[in-house]
Amino acid sequence: MSVPSYDHWVFDLDGTLVDVEPGYVHDVFDRVGDRVGYDFSEREAEAVWHGLGGVRNDQLSEWGVDVETFWEVYHEEEDPEARADATYLYDDAEVVGDLDSPTVLVTHCQEYLTDPVLEALDIGDWFDAVVCCTEETGWKPDPEPVHMALSSVGADGDGVLVGDGPHDVGAAWNAGLAGAHVERHGHDRRGLCVVGDHRVDRVDELV
């Protein structure tokens, strides 16, 4: 596959460069389920965690789970040290550390979790800027957090955003970048096919 040469790179974190052991996901959702009064099956927990099958909030509402309460409890139940211990780096993502162009990270993972993960995996120095999305910055596919990250490093020219979900490609296009989708789970498990300028199974097919 021929990939254009890009002047700057934007990466998503969870599901794109790193992931967590399934046992951690199930433990978190068991605790969250006890508090919100919903018994998440393993399939449902993994669907929400990985964003499989559509918009997470829509799925939660369909199951009768209050969305605002869920996310509040979910963030309370996530322990930074445990999250970092359960997180691993995809071997095909190691090429990101060799990029010479401006490289930034824009993630929905909150700062109190992102920082320990980057430190534990020793990949924080891969990125010239890190933006953790919040209500104030906006959430992908909103382009604002992408603009924030790129502006902070003075990036210009042609760029690409690499992520594992449709909201990543949407953020790329809304920010005027190429969108690259990394499919870690297969279209059948995801329940939909994500369209992008590049569609790959591994990050090192792009870099």
Side-chain angles (χ1 to χ4, degrees):
M1 178 183 67
S2 177
V3 177
S5 176
Y6 289 107
D7 300 307
H8 52 267
W9 296 78
V10 183
F11 288 93
D12 173 53
L13 183 61
D14 290 317
T16 302
L17 303 180
V18 307
D19 222 322
V20 299
E21 300 295 343
Y24 175 83
V25 175
H26 300 149
D27 286 345
V28 169
F29 272 80
D30 284 347
R31 296 196 303 273
V32 172
D34 287 343
R35 292 181 58 184
V36 302
Y38 186 84
D39 184 16
F40 290 96
S41 68
E42 290 190 359
R43 180 188 62 79
E44 290 171 337
E46 292 177 8
V48 174
W49 183 276
H50 297 293
L52 306 177
V55 179
R56 292 176 171 93
N57 288 352
D58 291 348
Q59 290 177 310
L60 292 168
S61 295
E62 183 179 329
W63 299 332
V65 178
D66 182 80
V67 172
E68 185 175 346
T69 301
F70 170 84
W71 289 113
E72 180 180 343
V73 172
Y74 171 83
H75 289 307
E76 290 175 357
E77 288 295 337
E78 279 240 74
D79 176 78
E81 184 176 348
R83 171 70 170 267
D85 287 344
T87 302
Y88 60 90
L89 180 71
Y90 281 110
D91 60 354
D92 57 274
E94 294 179 358
V95 293
V96 175
D98 297 326
L99 287 170
D100 294 327
S101 308
T103 304
V104 301
L105 184 72
V106 178
T107 174
H108 282 185
C109 187
Q110 296 302 280
E111 186 175 357
Y112 79 101
L113 298 170
T114 298
D115 288 348
V117 166
L118 297 181
E119 181 178 356
L121 297 176
D122 195 23
I123 60 174
D125 61 353
W126 288 5
F127 308 105
D128 301 300
V130 176
V131 171
C132 298
C133 296
T134 64
E135 293 296 333
E136 289 71 30
T137 65
W139 305 89
K140 296 176 288 185
D142 187 330
E144 184 55 28
V146 179
H147 289 316
M148 288 176 58
L150 292 176
S151 294
S152 71
V153 299
D156 56 17
D158 295 326
V160 62
L161 191 159
V162 185
D164 71 314
H167 56 283
D168 295 307
V169 176
W173 289 345
N174 289 338
L177 307 177
H181 179 246
V182 182
E183 183 52 81
R184 297 293 190 184
H185 301 280
H187 306 306
D188 290 342
R189 187 181 183 209
R190 183 173 296 279
L192 51 88
C193 180
V194 180
V195 177
D197 298 291
H198 308 290
R199 296 167 61 192
V200 298
D201 296 321
R202 300 172 54 92
V203 171
D204 55 13
E205 293 179 50
L206 289 164
V207 180

